[in-house]
Amino acid sequence: MTTRKPTGEITVGADVASRQPFAHLSAPNASFYRDVLMTFARARDRFIVHMRPEDVSADLGRPGDGEPVVAALEKLVDWGNLRSDPDTGRVTSVEDFHRARYLYQLTTAGQAAEEAIAVYEEAIGRRGVLQSVALEDIAAQLRALAELVTADEARLDPAKVHLLLLALAERFTGLADNAQAFMASLRRVIDFADGDVVAFVAYKQRLIDYINRFIADLANRGAEIATLLGQIEAAGVDRLLTIAARREAADAVPGLPAGSEAGTDIVATSAGADTSAAADTAAAYDTAIRMAVDAWRNRWRGLRDWFLSADSRHPSQARLLRGAAITAITQLIDTVAALNERRSGRSDRSADFRALARWFAQAPDDAGAHRLWRAAFGLTPARHLTVTQETVAAWQEHEPAPSTPWRQAPPVRISPQLRKTGSYERRGQPNRVADRAEQRRFLAEQAAQEAEQVAAARERLATVRPVLLSELGVLDRQAFRLFLGVLSDALSARLPGDSEVNTTTSDGTMEIRLSLVPDGGVVRIETADGVLHGPQHFVEIIDLTAVRRRVEVAV
């Protein structure tokens, strides 16, 4: 361990490797140690290396309270977070020289520990979001790359290609990380819903609306992004990745001549220089290019796998995210239903008993406690007996003590009818059965109205021939919601690389045939809820229920 001689010299022992810069986290006053270390982190941001104890005290807002700070600094030195050096700048006499004064600074291990703790706290406190704007940015950057991939080599700007790919990789990485963090935080919200039921129920609807909006954006933008990825790969994406790799390799290899793009160029342009050094530089440059190309191909593959499904057994991450979001909505609804059922029906027996115990403890006297007992448990009087007015008057006149045995207590006078017949039921006409015909008629009208709306929406969407999406016209709210469901089923069934798809909706009521229009651009579909943007397609929608009705009539 580190010891100090009276002269202020420092001796480093053999157990330096055994120091534990994380030991302060489990110390009794860990929060104070964290505050002290944070002063050094803030000082480092101000480009200050050494700090005296009084500087630390002032930064902590505790001027004049130096003893606890000095003790904490000494412990942090022992743990290896800090290093102490003799403070000889303030020595003016021999006595000052022999008095222990030290300057403190973060050690390499202490700085690494602070960075690790910062990363841990950031990861723990991170709350991800589903970024619809990121999808739009990725689509815009892919459109720009699609224009560059078809350009001639002479017209390509390497800097523009490299910056586009860097921005695309950064935006995609942020989207994937935030989506993963969001699903994890959503799982925690569902797990800890019992903590604050009222806040959870109020938060639930906003969260469901937010997820639904992202699912719709993911279905629309995801289809466009998948199409752009296919176009860029068909035109030759490796050319763009190689251009970006060359720019990165030029920074990675020192001593590279300006304008060199291959190892042979380096050797050729190094006339009069050391041939072996030029050959080594060329080899290092070629190796750097290969490594950079492999890294960019791996990033591009990650982007492709996120939006394009390899086959039915290996769906894309976007499809998995959409399925996970839909499952989360179902779990949220189930959780709210369980909470509502708990509040309206079942109760927590242990909580009831605790509340009853508090009421007993707060009873003003024994008579109040007995009344509470009878009200809570209903054990007296017997439910099948009726107390007559004579019995009540006798109790009020001679109220027995709670300790009176049952044998010595006043008797209960019952009705002669109960003694004679064994039953105290009063004869008479039974209650009439409630008539629910009006409620059933209302529910039937509501169901018929909804069925008519769905049938009208199917009739509105049905086409007699393949038409363009732009020819669908303005859709009302019911037709638009049905169209989104049909379109989602078609896009989910389309495999990567396919431009046509023919599928049936999950309920078996409609069939859709979707065909991509090459160079069709982006179309606008006016709806009651807004404007839907998407790539141009030929679409044919068949109402299978109408087909079945015609077949039944013909038979």
Side-chain angles (χ1 to χ4, degrees):
M1 59 181 295
T2 301
T3 58
R4 294 181 180 84
K5 298 180 180 180
T7 57
E9 297 177 359
I10 299 176
T11 303
V12 181
D15 59 343
V16 174
S18 64
R19 293 179 180 176
Q20 300 176 353
F22 295 99
H24 68 282
L25 297 175
S26 57
N29 52 346
S31 59
F32 183 63
Y33 289 125
R34 291 298 309 142
D35 293 339
V36 171
L37 287 173
M38 287 304 298
T39 63
F40 285 89
R42 290 191 292 269
R44 184 187 58 194
D45 295 338
R46 301 192 301 269
F47 307 102
I48 297 175
V49 178
H50 295 88
M51 294 186 70
R52 296 185 174 93
E54 53 268 28
D55 299 333
V56 177
S57 299
D59 195 283
L60 291 174
R62 304 172 60 171
D65 190 10
E67 292 185 3
V69 173
V70 172
L73 292 172
E74 295 296 330
K75 290 296 294 181
L76 291 170
V77 170
D78 294 338
W79 284 325
N81 298 83
L82 300 178
R83 191 186 79 185
S84 60
D85 297 313
D87 185 7
T88 58
R90 294 182 296 175
V91 174
T92 58
S93 64
V94 177
E95 290 78 7
D96 290 341
F97 181 80
H98 289 287
R99 186 179 297 116
R101 297 175 184 269
Y102 296 100
L103 290 171
Y104 297 90
Q105 72 176 78
L106 279 173
T107 63
T108 303
Q111 183 173 345
E114 289 301 304
E115 293 175 355
I117 293 172
V119 171
Y120 174 79
E121 291 177 347
E122 180 182 0
I124 291 297
R126 180 179 184 180
R127 296 185 63 87
V129 292
L130 299 176
Q131 299 170 301
S132 299
V133 177
L135 294 171
E136 183 179 353
D137 293 344
I138 291 174
Q141 289 156 356
L142 286 175
R143 285 193 293 269
L145 285 176
E147 295 178 0
L148 290 176
V149 75
T150 57
D152 297 336
E153 193 74 25
R155 296 171 53 192
L156 274 179
D157 185 358
K160 185 176 181 179
V161 172
H162 190 204
L163 291 176
L164 269 177
L165 287 174
L166 286 175
L168 178 63
E170 181 182 359
R171 207 69 174 105
F172 168 67
T173 302
L175 171 67
D177 292 344
N178 281 315
Q180 182 180 3
F182 176 81
M183 297 311 298
S185 63
L186 180 60
R187 180 68 262 171
R188 292 194 295 271
V189 168
I190 298 174
D191 289 341
F192 296 103
D194 293 343
D196 190 346
V197 176
V198 177
F200 175 76
V201 173
Y203 171 66
K204 172 265 308 179
Q205 189 57 48
R206 296 196 300 271
L207 183 61
I208 291 178
D209 294 341
Y210 173 62
I211 298 176
N212 278 331
R213 188 165 59 251
F214 177 78
I215 291 175
D217 292 339
L218 184 61
N220 297 329
R221 292 291 181 185
E224 180 185 3
I225 290 173
T227 302
L228 290 170
L229 288 172
Q231 294 176 358
I232 295 173
E233 288 187 346
V237 69
D238 280 348
R239 187 162 66 108
L240 300 181
L241 301 182
T242 303
I243 290 175
R246 286 177 177 175
R247 293 194 82 236
E248 293 182 356
D251 290 336
V253 179
L256 184 68
S260 300
E261 296 187 353
T264 55
D265 294 339
I266 297 174
V267 175
T269 55
S270 58
D274 189 356
T275 306
S276 61
D280 292 341
T281 303
Y285 181 61
D286 291 338
T287 302
I289 288 180
R290 286 195 300 270
M291 294 176 61
V293 168
D294 291 341
W296 277 112
R297 284 175 179 169
N298 187 53
R299 296 181 191 131
W300 185 265
R301 179 183 175 183
L303 178 62
R304 186 184 187 281
D305 293 344
W306 218 86
F307 290 99
L308 291 174
S309 300
D311 49 46
S312 59
R313 295 177 299 176
H314 300 85
S316 64
Q317 293 297 318
R319 180 178 296 183
L320 293 177
L321 177 62
R322 186 171 63 180
I326 294 174
T327 302
I329 293 177
T330 305
Q331 292 175 347
L332 281 171
I333 296 175
D334 293 342
T335 302
V336 172
L339 293 175
N340 290 333
E341 180 182 357
R342 182 184 306 171
R343 290 191 298 177
S344 61
R346 296 174 297 176
S347 61
D348 188 350
R349 186 65 56 84
S350 62
D352 293 343
F353 279 128
R354 286 193 296 269
L356 186 60
R358 286 194 296 270
W359 293 346
F360 273 112
Q362 296 169 0
D365 49 25
D366 289 343
H370 281 287
R371 287 195 300 271
L372 179 60
W373 171 271
R374 287 193 293 268
F377 299 102
L379 296 180
T380 56
R383 296 180 180 181
H384 63 283
L385 298 178
T386 300
V387 180
T388 62
Q389 292 296 329
E390 292 80 2
T391 302
V392 173
W395 284 352
Q396 292 177 351
E397 184 178 355
H398 303 288
E399 184 174 356
S403 58
T404 303
W406 286 99
R407 184 182 298 273
Q408 301 175 9
V412 176
R413 302 183 184 276
I414 63 176
S415 171
Q417 182 181 358
L418 178 62
R419 177 184 290 276
K420 180 179 179 180
T421 63
S423 174
Y424 193 70
E425 289 187 4
R426 298 183 182 274
R427 304 297 179 182
Q429 185 178 3
N431 295 331
R432 299 182 59 183
V433 178
D435 185 8
R436 306 291 184 184
E438 185 65 24
Q439 289 85 345
R440 287 195 292 269
R441 184 189 60 78
F442 175 75
L443 293 177
E445 290 178 355
Q446 290 290 105
Q449 183 179 0
E450 292 179 0
E452 290 177 0
Q453 292 177 354
V454 174
R458 284 200 298 265
E459 184 179 359
R460 168 66 181 83
L461 292 178
T463 60
V464 297
R465 58 177 179 81
V467 298
L468 293 172
L469 282 178
S470 55
E471 297 175 356
L472 288 178
V474 180
L475 298 177
D476 57 24
R477 180 164 299 172
Q478 192 69 27
F480 175 61
R481 292 180 178 178
L482 181 60
F483 174 70
L484 279 184
V486 174
L487 185 63
S488 176
D489 291 337
L491 294 176
S492 300
R494 186 169 66 182
L495 296 177
D498 292 345
S499 59
E500 298 182 1
V501 64
N502 186 355
T503 187
T504 305
T505 57
S506 57
D507 58 359
T509 59
M510 305 191 76
E511 180 181 356
I512 179 171
R513 299 167 185 169
L514 200 63
S515 177
L516 180 65
V517 178
D519 301 328
V522 178
V523 299
R524 292 165 46 92
I525 300 177
E526 301 287 341
T527 71
D529 293 329
V531 181
L532 174 66
H533 299 267
Q536 183 69 281
H537 283 77
F538 278 108
V539 60
E540 183 178 4
I541 302 176
I542 302 172
D543 185 1
L544 297 180
T545 59
V547 174
R548 295 192 192 101
R549 287 196 298 269
R550 289 196 296 269
V551 172
E552 291 174 357
V553 171
V555 173

